[in-house]
Amino acid sequence: MRSNEEKKTVTKSLKLSQKEQEYIQKCADEEGMSFGRYLVNCAIHKDTTVTPAMLVKLQEIVNTIQKLEDKLNGSFSYEKQDIREMRMDLDDLFSSSSH
């Protein structure tokens, strides 16, 4: 449940051209967000080069690399070490980007 500070109680109206509305809606749809949520997300993360969607993709990459690492057997120890280091690097990137 949201705290009182997090409850959405403010309504704003916005004038847009038809092209602007269509473009923003297209972007929102691509991100799986509502129109309003997309605008708020863009405003909040405007100074961030890594978006929440990018963090999700990075985590998926980390998970995939970890699965590959787990499937490798002892005869691939050199490659396994390389994959382990890649996973750790990506995991560190994900951890530092989420703060």
Side-chain angles (χ1 to χ4, degrees), residues 25-63:
Q25 187 63 59
K26 178 180 166 266
C27 292
D29 291 344
E30 288 172 359
E31 294 295 324
M33 296 179 180
S34 68
F35 188 91
R37 181 75 242 155
Y38 180 78
L39 289 177
V40 169
N41 189 57
C42 287
I44 290 171
H45 298 288
K46 71 178 182 180
D47 295 330
T48 305
T49 57
V50 179
T51 65
M54 292 168 72
L55 290 174
V56 169
K57 291 294 180 189
L58 283 172
Q59 186 62 52
E60 289 172 359
I61 292 168
V62 169
N63 293 344

Side-chain angles (χ1 to χ4, degrees), residues 10-11 15-16 25-26 36 38 40 45 47 63 68 71 74 77 80 82 87 94 96-97:
V10 177
T11 302
K15 274 194 163 186
L16 303 167
Q25 187 63 59
K26 178 180 166 266
Y38 180 78
V40 169
H45 298 288
D47 295 330
N63 293 344
L68 287 170
K71 290 184 179 194
S77 60
K80 185 175 181 177
D82 288 347
R87 181 188 58 79
F94 178 77
S96 65
S97 297

Side-chain angles (χ1 to χ4, degrees), residues 17-31:
S17 71
Q18 185 65 34
K19 282 187 175 191
E20 289 170 329
Q21 185 277 327
E22 289 170 0
Y23 178 77
I24 294 170
Q25 187 63 59
K26 178 180 166 266
C27 292
D29 291 344
E30 288 172 359
E31 294 295 324

